[in-house]
Amino acid sequence: MDNLPLPLHKLAVPGPTLASMIQRLSSSAADVDGLLFGHVTYIAPSTLPDDSAHSSPVSQLLATISGFLCFPSLLSFYDSLGRVDPSRLSSTTHLIGWFSSRRKTPLRPSIREFCVTRSLSSTPNLPLPIHNSDPESLFAPSIFLLFTTPLQDQFIQTNQYRAFHFQSSRPCFNPLSIDVVNIGPAFRGHYGSFSPTSALPFLSCELRSLTPMNEDRNEETLIGMKQTEKDQSLLDTCAEGMQVGRLSRLIGPEATNYTSGLEDLYEKMLLKTESLARLVEASSAKVLEQENHDRKLRYKVARSVGVE
Amino acid sequence: MSFDGFPPFISAQLHYLVNHFPERIKVEQVLSGGKTYAGGLDRFTLLIPYCLDYIKWDIIYNAEFPLAPPDVIFGPEDEDFHPLHMTGSVGEGDLKFQNILSDWNHKDPTRLLALIQELRDRYVAYQKKRVGEVDDDRLKFEISTICSREGIEMQISSGAEKPEEVKFAVPLMDMNINKMVHGCPWRHPQKIYLQVIYPVGKKYASTPSPPRLKLMSTTELRALFSIEDVKLPSWLDGMCMAEYLPHLEESLQKQVVEAVSLIDIRRRFIESLAPLFGRPLEADPVFCRKATFLASSGSFVFLVHLLISTQFPKQQPALMLQSSQHISPQGIPKKSPLLSEYPWSPRWETSQMAERIFDFLADESLNFKRFCSESQPQH
């Protein structure tokens, strides 16, 4: 159930995601690994008769990476035998695989990477449903992306990467071709496939006739106030400084200034994004400080051999 | 081999591995995986002897994470080698290997050796399984008859251009050669192997072509016995290894025993030179392959080097003269070329051999003296 007989045809990575991954890896002090998030789509076989001669009639799966999470240390979600600890991954969704980066090594999977991928692809509760396909078919996280640098690399920095799809039946790694999705005319079709990962929250909405009596009633009853508070906190997760009450002016008979109201909403949402970004920056600085501290401790351990 | 630049925990384990591995292991491509070199070197390639050749494995430590065991990357032809998930090999072996990794102690210098040893044993089993899967009747027969021998290693090699071949490394003779040599300085046990390479038979070929045979030995054995001098018995049509090996081993055994006895003959020869040349300045006491004497012709003082081959007395010793009074512009003492053409007969008595060499050198030293002074700039 967790490994379809359909082959994984390709891996698509948006350009900025790949660049951000490579930047993260090349700025880390040592080898790192992490998780890959995304979705898998089923592409129905094309039945047009005038397709090119070697169009495959076999239906295919396309995996897309939409994000990643980089762990600062090795043996993060697995142990030294490569066995994945499901409790560390219990809150992840959309997990499609993992990646590993190691400098100055050959571009082939190692013992541990094989074990981790094998363990990850057979961990229960992780497989995700495939878009465009029947809801019963699931895709287990079985994609492995390997980053290395060449052995002799002095003046030019080169980053090599290769993707593999783990086939549990043999078991072995099958090479997987990567499509880097960039902005441009050739990729216009991809715009339609974007789906937001954080949509506006669903707020209860009533079209009611606006009489002063109704408004008063809404604001004064306890239940009404609690509902308003709840709605406001939901709205505050994606906009900053926007009153819930103003949303009602975007619909119904009051929506004459619809455009400016919408622009206002978007402006507040951008404000929210900015303040979130500042929070992330501050917390990143704290994480970096902690990582440096940990590294110093590890150096001490590494050099203490022979003292015992 | 010095391992500078490694963090102490890696260098301790690497040292132990190189010094205690039963055969000679080589280390190359030592690199650092860190962004800067501050952490130290932490990855390298091991050349592990297997099947009379080397297999290259990359060992990846992490200077930043000393507590984690190293990771290993195998060669590109061994994509299917998965030591932690070998089907069919169940029981204690699996558990032992898992324990090496799960109980990794970075302070214990013996751990890397244990890991490599275990991985190599599994590699032997993996190659055996692969060879067993080859669809060739002759090979299947050979494997069934020969596998009871201890220490056989086999390897499949196939490339884009080359046809598929199976290589066997068969250790010959159970004798402990090290013990046979008095005062043996060898650190590793010396062994002789027969390399047998079978082309994988195509179904339509009527008679399978004979395998390619080659004798190989550990390098230090050359001081005692040179396998190049051994003539291999011919492989008759339709023969198999089980028939061929006993004859070869019998003949080799005789030759090795003879080689050991030749040590004494060489020793007596060197001793016989003493009355004429004086005590040797230097001599190889274990294998008696070399000796150096001090000699003089008039006021010309020179050294006489004797290089005695394993074919002595059939082959006469090669002589080389070295002047103690002339040096080349580079600061090297002047030497004569190797002299191996002089009157000789293996049937002479040792004392007569010594005398004839003495007479020859008495004449030759004059030539040498002239050669030295001629090529010297006149003061």
Side-chain angles (χ1 to χ4, degrees):
Chain A
M1 216 319 227
D2 56 353
N3 212 8
L4 274 189
L6 286 179
L8 187 58
H9 174 58
K10 241 193 247 218
L11 180 66
V13 190
T17 311
L18 185 61
S20 143
M21 253 196 278
I22 293 181
Q23 193 275 338
R24 176 69 181 86
L25 306 177
S26 54
S27 59
S28 77
D31 295 347
V32 286
D33 53 36
L35 302 174
L36 293 172
F37 302 100
H39 54 269
V40 181
T41 319
Y42 168 80
I43 305 178
S46 139
T47 50
L48 294 174
D50 44 321
D51 266 350
S52 53
H54 53 253
S55 73
S56 43
V58 182
S59 47
Q60 297 157 349
L61 295 179
L62 172 73
T64 311
I65 296 181
S66 58
F68 67 96
L69 172 65
C70 196
F71 293 114
S73 67
L74 289 186
L75 303 187
S76 44
F77 62 100
Y78 53 89
D79 64 9
S80 48
L81 281 171
R83 293 176 300 210
V84 171
D85 182 1
S87 60
R88 305 259 179 110
L89 300 175
S90 53
S91 55
T92 55
T93 55
H94 299 108
L95 185 63
I96 58 171
W98 73 298
F99 68 91
S100 167
S101 155
R102 34 180 169 80
R103 292 192 179 89
K104 301 218 174 96
T105 54
L107 197 55
R108 297 189 292 275
S110 69
I111 298 184
R112 195 187 296 150
E113 286 156 3
F114 179 86
C115 297
V116 173
T117 316
R118 184 185 175 138
S119 176
L120 189 65
S121 59
S122 50
T123 307
N125 299 329
L126 286 182
L128 58 156
I130 300 180
H131 294 192
N132 237 11
S133 174
D134 66 85
E136 293 298 314
S137 51
L138 298 173
F139 181 83
S142 46
I143 294 179
F144 173 55
L145 189 51
L146 177 60
F147 291 90
T148 63
T149 62
L151 300 178
Q152 316 289 341
D153 202 18
Q154 283 200 324
F155 303 116
I156 304 175
Q157 247 207 359
T158 312
N159 291 296
Q160 304 166 320
Y161 56 92
R162 187 175 288 172
F164 301 89
H165 180 224
F166 187 76
Q167 190 182 334
S168 299
S169 47
R170 258 195 66 185
C172 69
F173 278 112
N174 289 332
L176 189 55
S177 57
I178 302 184
D179 238 2
V180 180
V181 181
N182 283 314
I183 301 174
F187 296 98
R188 199 164 283 146
H190 284 271
Y191 284 117
S193 71
F194 280 134
S195 53
T197 47
S198 64
L200 265 180
F202 196 71
L203 299 171
S204 61
C205 153
E206 297 172 3
L207 258 187
R208 53 191 188 284
S209 55
L210 285 177
T211 63
M213 192 172 72
N214 275 348
E215 273 199 38
D216 287 335
R217 189 192 313 157
N218 202 27
E219 284 164 3
E220 283 176 7
T221 60
L222 197 58
I223 298 175
M225 278 163 65
K226 273 216 172 116
Q227 182 64 40
T228 313
E229 228 180 272
K230 214 172 90 169
D231 288 344
Q232 180 69 53
S233 62
L234 265 184
L235 187 61
D236 282 340
T237 59
C238 54
E240 194 167 288
M242 182 80 177
Q243 292 300 317
V244 151
R246 292 182 55 190
L247 281 182
S248 66
R249 296 198 194 103
L250 290 179
I251 51 168
E254 279 230 357
T256 44
N257 277 340
Y258 179 74
T259 317
S260 64
L262 208 52
E263 281 176 0
D264 201 25
L265 174 63
Y266 283 150
E267 201 183 302
K268 299 282 187 319
M269 284 167 78
L270 283 177
L271 259 180
K272 177 73 176 177
T273 313
E274 209 180 304
S275 58
L276 280 177
R278 279 206 204 92
L279 274 179
V280 168
E281 207 181 307
S283 61
S284 288
K286 287 214 186 104
V287 168
L288 190 61
E289 211 180 290
Q290 183 67 50
E291 280 184 21
N292 280 338
H293 178 70
D294 289 348
R295 188 175 307 126
K296 288 201 182 96
L297 286 179
R298 279 197 296 264
Y299 277 163
K300 270 199 197 155
V301 170
R303 267 144 188 77
S304 72
V305 175
V307 173
E308 280 200 3
Chain B
M1 201 184 320
S2 74
F3 297 123
D4 293 332
F6 280 109
F9 70 97
I10 299 180
S11 102
Q13 291 187 340
L14 194 51
H15 258 117
Y16 190 86
L17 171 72
V18 172
N19 292 333
H20 291 86
F21 197 75
E23 287 144 43
R24 192 164 297 174
I25 234 182
K26 293 203 246 195
V27 180
E28 56 176 40
Q29 291 276 34
V30 176
L31 301 161
S32 166
K35 188 151 183 252
T36 63
Y37 281 93
L41 303 167
D42 58 3
R43 44 209 61 184
F44 48 88
T45 306
L46 284 181
L47 270 72
I48 301 169
Y50 177 74
C51 205
L52 301 175
D53 201 351
Y54 287 104
I55 43 176
K56 283 193 185 182
W57 288 351
D58 296 290
I59 313 291
I60 319 281
Y61 275 94
N62 247 288
E64 293 269 322
F65 304 104
L67 302 177
D71 204 0
V72 186
I73 305 178
F74 302 113
E77 323 79 39
D78 296 324
E79 286 176 344
D80 290 330
F81 177 43
H82 306 301
L84 279 173
H85 297 103
M86 289 185 76
T87 51
S89 59
V90 287
E92 276 197 25
D94 253 9
L95 202 56
K96 178 174 161 208
F97 184 43
Q98 296 194 352
N99 285 341
I100 296 179
L101 284 178
S102 52
D103 294 335
W104 187 263
N105 178 0
H106 72 289
K107 295 206 171 123
D108 181 358
T110 64
R111 285 310 171 101
L112 182 62
L113 175 70
L115 177 67
I116 300 293
Q117 197 74 289
E118 187 64 33
L119 283 176
R120 191 181 182 283
D121 290 343
R122 280 166 187 254
Y123 189 76
V124 172
Y126 153 78
Q127 284 284 3
K128 215 175 238 182
K129 181 159 166 255
R130 276 187 78 189
V131 173
E133 286 166 358
V134 173
D135 191 16
D136 182 319
D137 293 330
R138 179 174 63 163
L139 270 176
K140 287 201 198 292
F141 175 71
E142 289 286 20
I143 295 173
S144 58
T145 52
I146 218 66
C147 267
S148 50
R149 271 186 171 244
E150 283 261 342
I152 285 203
E153 293 180 350
M154 50 191 90
Q155 194 173 36
I156 280 199
S157 66
S158 51
E161 326 263 308
K162 310 182 297 177
E164 208 181 4
E165 291 180 334
V166 172
K167 182 169 68 165
F168 287 88
V170 186
L172 297 173
M173 302 183 316
D174 235 341
M175 32 195 318
N176 185 340
I177 307 182
N178 290 37
K179 276 224 188 76
M180 294 166 70
V181 174
H182 187 67
C184 173
W186 294 327
R187 246 184 53 205
H188 302 284
Q190 301 298 309
K191 295 198 75 64
I192 303 182
Y193 297 87
L194 180 66
Q195 183 188 74
V196 187
I197 301 186
Y198 282 100
V200 173
K202 306 185 225 320
K203 285 297 174 190
Y204 45 80
S206 47
T207 42
S209 43
R212 302 205 300 274
L213 301 167
K214 186 170 165 190
L215 264 187
M216 300 177 83
S217 80
T218 42
T219 42
E220 287 167 324
L221 191 66
R222 248 185 275 129
L224 170 70
F225 173 63
S226 175
I227 46 168
E228 272 104 34
D229 299 330
V230 176
K231 184 164 173 295
L232 283 174
S234 49
W235 181 281
L236 305 167
D237 257 343
M239 236 184 174
C240 70
M241 274 202 275
E243 287 178 277
Y244 183 82
L245 290 172
H247 296 299
L248 177 61
E249 284 187 302
E250 217 184 292
S251 131
L252 260 183
Q253 200 147 353
K254 286 202 200 106
Q255 294 183 52
V256 169
V257 169
E258 195 189 317
V260 173
S261 66
L262 284 177
I263 298 181
D264 274 331
I265 296 191
R266 294 196 289 269
R267 183 171 294 126
R268 274 188 263 125
F269 170 67
I270 295 180
E271 286 165 359
S272 73
L273 292 167
L276 296 164
F277 287 91
R279 281 183 64 102
L281 270 184
E282 270 181 6
D284 160 22
V286 180
F287 300 103
C288 305
R289 298 282 305 275
K290 292 193 290 193
T292 301
F293 294 89
L294 192 62
S296 63
S297 166
S299 61
F300 179 49
V301 178
F302 57 96
L303 295 171
V304 180
H305 300 291
L306 283 116
L307 303 156
I308 314 171
S309 86
T310 49
Q311 293 297 309
F312 179 88
K314 264 187 285 188
Q315 189 178 38
Q316 65 215 93
L319 307 168
M320 186 172 65
L321 304 174
Q322 178 181 325
S323 166
S324 66
Q325 296 164 313
H326 305 87
I327 53 169
S328 69
Q330 291 84 21
I332 309 170
K334 292 225 174 124
K335 293 192 183 133
S336 75
L338 273 180
L339 310 160
S340 40
E341 306 285 323
Y342 53 89
W344 180 262
S345 166
R347 284 179 290 280
W348 290 335
E349 292 276 335
T350 337
S351 50
Q352 193 178 13
M353 289 179 182
E355 272 175 32
R356 296 295 278 259
I357 289 187
F358 187 83
D359 292 335
F360 171 70
L361 282 178
D363 293 331
E364 190 59 33
S365 62
L366 296 171
N367 293 338
F368 182 55
K369 179 174 170 190
R370 205 174 322 134
F371 160 76
C372 287
S373 31
E374 268 171 8
S375 46
Q376 191 90 324
Q378 295 297 331
H379 302 297

